[in-house]
Amino acid sequence: QVQLVESGGGLVQAGGSLRLSCVASGSILTPNRMGWWRQAPGTRRELVAVATSGGSTNYTDSVKGRSTISRDNAAAAVTLQMNSLKPEDTAVYYCGYRNRYGDYWGQGTQVTVSS
């Protein structure tokens, strides 16, 4: 089992920045990937950004150039820095972790961007 503890999120004005952090504990195995997904009301959960334990990253097109994901493998932690936030970034953001045994999710943190 893997437990994920998220921090960050909140209310910010359009154009502002937020930093989301997530720390994993439990059966941390490599290789793995950690990242952030988001879900707005009435929509499906979608990938925001993900980083593998090998160092590769991937971003959804809508956040490229505005967000940076970083990992600390020793601490089993991942951070997402989001800049130039837009109202359409409003969603519940979930930290996700995948290893060879399955997918694990955090409880989610609300990000609200006001116009």
Side-chain angles (χ1 to χ4, degrees), residues 30-115:
T30 55
N32 63 64
R33 69 172 192 176
M34 290 183 73
W36 291 91
W37 282 254
R38 66 187 178 188
Q39 187 170 17
T43 68
R44 299 180 65 179
R45 190 173 298 186
E46 65 170 358
L47 170 71
V48 179
V50 66
T52 70
S53 53
S56 62
T57 59
N58 190 36
Y59 298 85
T60 191
D61 287 345
S62 64
V63 306
K64 284 180 180 177
R66 302 189 292 123
S67 299
T68 302
I69 190 168
S70 57
R71 282 196 61 162
D72 180 342
N73 285 335
V78 66
T79 298
L80 180 67
Q81 176 69 40
M82 298 188 293
N83 303 318
S84 302
L85 284 162
K86 305 174 181 180
E88 50 263 44
D89 293 316
T90 296
V92 178
Y93 284 68
Y94 297 90
C95 178
Y97 171 94
R98 169 178 285 181
N99 61 21
R100 61 180 178 266
Y101 292 120
D103 292 328
Y104 303 88
W105 297 98
Q107 77 281 4
T109 184
Q110 178 70 46
V111 171
T112 302
V113 184
S114 62
S115 57

Side-chain angles (χ1 to χ4, degrees), residues 7-39:
S7 60
L11 174 64
V12 64
Q13 288 188 332
S17 299
L18 278 177
R19 185 181 182 90
L20 304 179
S21 298
C22 176
V23 178
S25 61
S27 299
I28 307 301
L29 305 172
T30 55
N32 63 64
R33 69 172 192 176
M34 290 183 73
W36 291 91
W37 282 254
R38 66 187 178 188
Q39 187 170 17

